[in-house]
Amino acid sequence: MLMMQFSQTAVDFPRIETWKPEEIERHIAFMGEVNATLTKSGEWVTGEGLAAPEELKIVRAGADGTPVVTEGPFPETKEFLAGYWIVDVETPARALELAAYVSSAPGPEGKPLNMPIEVRQIMEAPAPDSW
């Protein structure tokens, strides 16, 4: 799993909400190209960009199991998951190569973002006969 992290302390570019429309269009087009490349190579499983943290909801089970929803205000978020890809690759090195490519997505003025991309293996459950 490749996770695109936004961290105000680890990047030197502003949040996407402040970019010019053409900068956002160029960034989204790059992400579309990434997804098309992964689909063509057979490595694509799924992936999505995520809404800003201001739109999140926190849900807990109430005493009777019904959802209890908290909708903020939340403390200012300095780090958040901006999007993710689940890929099926042959080697860990390929996952790292893809993460570096995604990190180079264009940002303001077309400059590469070099955004941190967290790479984590998705674990599989043991076979039922091993329980």
Side-chain angles (χ1 to χ4, degrees):
M1 182 175 203
L2 311 177
M3 295 176 282
M4 181 186 303
Q5 302 287 343
F6 180 85
S7 169
Q8 293 175 341
T9 59
V11 298
D12 60 357
F13 57 86
R15 288 176 60 146
I16 198 167
E17 299 89 28
T18 66
W19 299 6
K20 296 175 186 169
E22 61 271 17
E23 294 169 337
I24 294 172
E25 288 173 17
R26 190 169 32 243
H27 182 78
I28 299 301
F30 176 86
M31 294 304 173
E33 292 168 15
V34 168
N35 297 346
T37 299
L38 291 172
T39 299
K40 186 176 179 180
S41 70
E43 296 169 313
W44 170 266
V45 176
T46 191
E48 296 291 338
L50 302 175
E54 296 80 16
E55 298 181 39
L56 72 83
K57 294 175 179 31
I58 296 177
V59 180
R60 291 186 171 88
D64 61 355
T66 59
V68 176
V69 181
T70 305
E71 296 189 36
F74 302 110
E76 182 179 345
T77 303
K78 299 211 184 293
E79 296 180 359
F80 61 89
L81 182 61
Y84 67 91
W85 293 262
I86 296 178
V87 295
D88 185 7
V89 295
E90 291 294 322
T91 66
R94 177 63 177 152
L96 298 177
E97 179 182 311
L98 290 172
Y101 180 62
V102 169
S103 175
S104 73
E109 300 177 8
K111 296 178 184 173
L113 294 176
N114 294 322
M115 181 179 283
I117 306 296
E118 184 176 331
V119 179
R120 296 181 69 184
Q121 180 180 359
I122 295 176
M123 303 302 290
E124 296 181 20
D129 60 348
S130 67
W131 295 352

